[in-house]
Amino acid sequence: MAFKALNSLVRAAAQAFKKPSTLEFPEKRELVTDNFRGMLKLDINTCISCSACARICPNKTIEMVDIETEKGTKKMPELHMERCMFCGDCEEVCPTKCLILTKNYDFERFDKREFVIRPEDLDG
Ligand code: SF4
Ligand code: SF4
């Protein structure tokens, strides 16, 4: 019995000096590889409303919706991120390279309705 208690104490002490196996997220972040595909980002100033991204998306993640700009109403991509599989087809087909996959993996939501992201909120 005493041996078991001593053994537990030794293991607990050893654990206290061990490097943590998890990161203190979000203060510390995992480094991602160069080809990591994360959250999409849109530059609404260079989007030409061609819809190529919406047409090529295999999961129908992208829906073209109206947004108000200084030059009037324009169609821009709205994302339904719960359907995105990060294939990169939309980025590849975009003629102005205004829609890109970023390295951001921090976009969890508690309600799946919040995965519908307006073009204005993808900008920047
Ligand atoms: S990365 Fe692929 S699945 Fe996601 S929006 Fe683009 S084309 Fe669709
Ligand atoms: S994001 Fe690119 S592919 Fe999609 S509508 Fe705009 S310009 Fe076209």
Side-chain angles (χ1 to χ4, degrees):
M1 190 70 176
F3 175 75
K4 262 191 173 177
L6 183 64
N7 193 21
S8 299
L9 264 176
V10 170
R11 285 171 58 189
Q15 204 62 34
F17 291 103
K18 253 177 102 178
K19 212 173 133 194
S21 49
T22 53
L23 291 177
E24 297 291 324
F25 187 84
E27 290 79 22
K28 291 184 184 162
R29 295 183 182 241
E30 195 77 63
L31 290 175
V32 293
T33 57
D34 287 345
N35 57 358
F36 181 84
R37 295 168 181 166
M39 184 63 187
L40 282 151
K41 187 171 106 173
L42 173 74
D43 179 356
I44 57 176
N45 296 313
T46 52
C47 174
I48 56 171
S49 308
C50 68
S51 305
C53 53
R55 283 197 304 272
I56 204 164
C57 178
N59 280 4
K60 307 266 179 264
T61 304
I62 301 174
E63 185 183 338
M64 299 300 286
V65 296
D66 288 336
I67 73 161
E68 294 305 322
T69 69
E70 287 167 3
K71 295 172 190 160
T73 308
K74 280 180 81 178
K75 291 267 185 211
M76 297 267 166
E78 174 181 84
L79 296 184
H80 294 248
M81 278 309 284
E82 80 282 8
R83 299 182 204 151
C84 182
M85 57 182 187
F86 307 96
C87 64
D89 284 359
C90 53
E91 179 183 87
E92 207 174 302
V93 80
C94 178
T96 62
K97 301 296 168 215
C98 63
L99 185 62
I100 56 164
L101 287 151
T102 68
K103 297 198 186 321
N104 177 16
Y105 58 83
D106 179 16
F107 51 90
E108 74 284 350
R109 303 282 194 277
F110 292 104
D111 184 333
K112 81 171 187 179
R113 285 168 296 191
E114 293 172 18
F115 274 120
V116 180
I117 307 173
R118 290 276 306 165
E120 301 92 323
D121 298 327
L122 285 168
D123 190 37

